[in-house]
Amino acid sequence: MSKAAGLALGVMALLVAGLWALREGPAPAPAPAADDTSGIERYAFLEGLPLDEGGYALLLHDQVTGDGLRVVRDAAALKAAQGQAYYTDNPGAQLKRTLLSVVFLSPPGMPPDGAFVTVLQDKQAVETYRCYRAFCAGNEAFDPPHERDMAGLVEASEPVELVTESFDHHDTARARMFKLMQDADAVMIEPPNLPAPGTIVFPKRVRLSLPAILLEADESGHQPVEPFDEAALEARFVAGFTHAFPETDAYRLNPMRIGRQYPSLQGWPVLGEGIDGYLRDADGALRGLGGIIVIEPTLTVDLTERMVEALQAEDAFADMPAFAPPEPPFVADRLAEMAEAHLGRPCPDCFKIELDVATVDRIRVDTLDAPSFSLSHYRIVPQ
């Protein structure tokens, strides 16, 4: 039995058991005590903070303000609220709802961001406290209900906005960050993803797309029958590229990314001789070819203008090994069977599958925007 089939049977058994238990109505639950706080958690988010040391601020999220992000940077207001400000959360209710969604085959989806307050120190996020939205919004019946005491923090808060800046060099972004550390109106700086100081910044960037690779899928449709070694492919490419282009100080290869595509329930579209559009069955439904995983390896290269021209030459990759692997034999065999059944005669090469990929037989070069480095921070909205 496949893992997918086993999972389906397991979920069905759980559902049947639930329905059997409910055949005469659910057993009455014991009445909770009036002061029952089962599953309720209380957060005093300022408790224990050494506010006298300075540098602290509090970011209030929409669950608190109802009107977007606001920040409390008044040390006196924070000190006055310490020991009083708190809220209650009910994470157990959220877990129960998620489990019920699974049992009754209703996908829970992605929950909305439950951020409540974020403690800041020296313009960096120290800790974010969250709250189950359905509970903390107070628009659903919970026993006991959500409680909060913001102890004057909302009244002492100021609106903030997100500002994102782009820079041509990471050292410029780093210098801007140091300047923002001295800016009183900058209340939180997002951790920037910058390379190490002194890293060379090349003026150009290209994307290299390697030929798509077809892998036979197992019965789940999402795992290859033969394991695919991503690290080996990247190592082979790097070795071939640096051999063909030995001036390694003129470019920098970035990590390879492996994209994956899976067919729809109908399979990859089939087209060819004697087909008007795509192959369809007698009822007019698409009849494609399944059981194939498509692998798309890509990587970006930061480089000089001269290297861009070299990579765009017609024979740029002539000294590199071929990266277009042979098509799995079962693809041609199954397409030949489909062609013979549809045309009424053998026609081994008449049918093909259509894939939405960048390339199937060569390395494709696409120019991208020049490298840039971003820095984001939250600052007080000018009044």
Side-chain angles (χ1 to χ4, degrees), residues 28-367:
D35 60 350
D36 180 19
T37 57
S38 176
I40 300 299
E41 297 184 4
R42 186 181 189 276
Y43 295 100
F45 42 86
L46 293 176
E47 185 175 344
L49 294 179
L51 298 178
D52 290 334
E53 296 179 3
Y56 281 94
L58 190 68
L59 193 66
L60 308 180
H61 295 269
D62 191 67
Q63 286 207 82
V64 176
T65 69
D67 188 30
L69 288 173
R70 299 178 69 90
V71 70
V72 182
R73 52 179 178 168
D74 184 340
L78 293 173
K79 189 69 175 177
Q82 193 173 42
Q84 298 185 50
Y86 80 96
Y87 73 96
T88 60
D89 190 13
N90 191 345
Q94 183 172 12
L95 177 60
K96 290 177 183 176
R97 178 166 295 183
T98 301
L99 291 176
L100 285 173
S101 296
V102 174
V103 169
F104 292 102
L105 308 181
S106 173
M110 292 297 293
D113 182 16
F116 196 82
V117 296
T118 298
V119 177
L120 309 176
Q121 183 180 26
D122 297 330
K123 306 184 190 299
Q124 302 295 312
V126 175
E127 185 170 4
T128 294
Y129 292 86
R130 301 181 180 277
C131 193
Y132 177 35
R133 277 186 173 271
F135 175 72
C136 298
N139 51 15
E140 292 189 30
F142 287 92
D143 184 18
H146 166 70
E147 296 179 3
R148 70 175 72 180
D149 181 356
M150 298 308 294
L153 290 170
V154 176
E155 292 76 10
S157 66
E158 305 168 89
V160 296
E161 61 183 351
L162 177 64
V163 177
T164 300
E165 300 170 285
S166 183
F167 305 89
D168 293 335
H169 199 287
H170 55 85
D171 284 344
T172 309
R174 197 172 284 107
R176 173 61 172 157
M177 182 176 66
F178 291 145
K179 187 175 181 180
L180 287 171
M181 291 296 295
Q182 313 304 319
D183 186 344
D185 285 341
V187 297
M188 176 181 170
I189 304 173
E190 295 280 7
N193 183 19
L194 302 176
T199 301
I200 297 174
V201 176
F202 291 95
K204 299 292 182 179
R205 175 173 288 174
V206 300
R207 179 177 57 241
L208 302 181
S209 300
L210 276 63
I213 301 169
L214 305 187
L215 302 177
E216 183 176 3
D218 64 12
E219 58 185 9
S220 74
H222 288 81
Q223 295 295 330
V225 173
E226 298 292 335
F228 177 67
D229 194 334
E230 299 179 10
L233 175 66
E234 182 171 12
R236 189 164 70 92
F237 178 84
V238 171
F241 192 92
T242 53
H243 170 74
F245 303 98
E247 297 179 75
T248 54
D249 58 344
Y251 63 87
R252 179 172 55 247
L253 294 174
N254 296 312
M256 180 175 288
R257 296 184 177 182
I258 304 294
R260 287 176 171 78
Q261 291 191 47
Y262 303 92
S264 66
L265 292 177
Q266 292 76 30
W268 297 108
V270 174
L271 66 169
E273 182 179 323
I275 302 177
D276 182 15
Y278 295 133
L279 181 64
R280 297 179 181 273
D281 59 24
D283 296 327
L286 285 174
R287 185 187 171 204
L289 183 62
I292 302 172
I293 301 172
V294 178
I295 303 293
E296 289 191 276
T298 63
L299 73 162
T300 60
V301 187
D302 295 326
L303 65 180
T304 63
E305 180 70 47
R306 179 174 55 81
M307 273 295 298
V308 174
E309 296 175 358
L311 295 183
Q312 290 177 330
E314 185 174 350
D315 58 348
F317 305 105
D319 294 335
M320 292 183 62
F323 284 91
E327 187 178 87
F330 86 95
V331 176
D333 294 342
R334 289 179 56 191
L335 285 173
E337 293 174 2
M338 296 170 76
E340 184 170 359
H342 182 76
L343 300 174
R345 57 182 174 83
C347 195
D349 299 320
C350 286
F351 281 11
K352 303 292 182 186
I353 55 174
E354 182 176 82
L355 302 175
D356 183 17
V357 296
T359 177
V360 296
D361 57 0
R362 62 183 179 84
I363 298 175
R364 174 174 167 174
V365 181
D366 293 296
T367 57

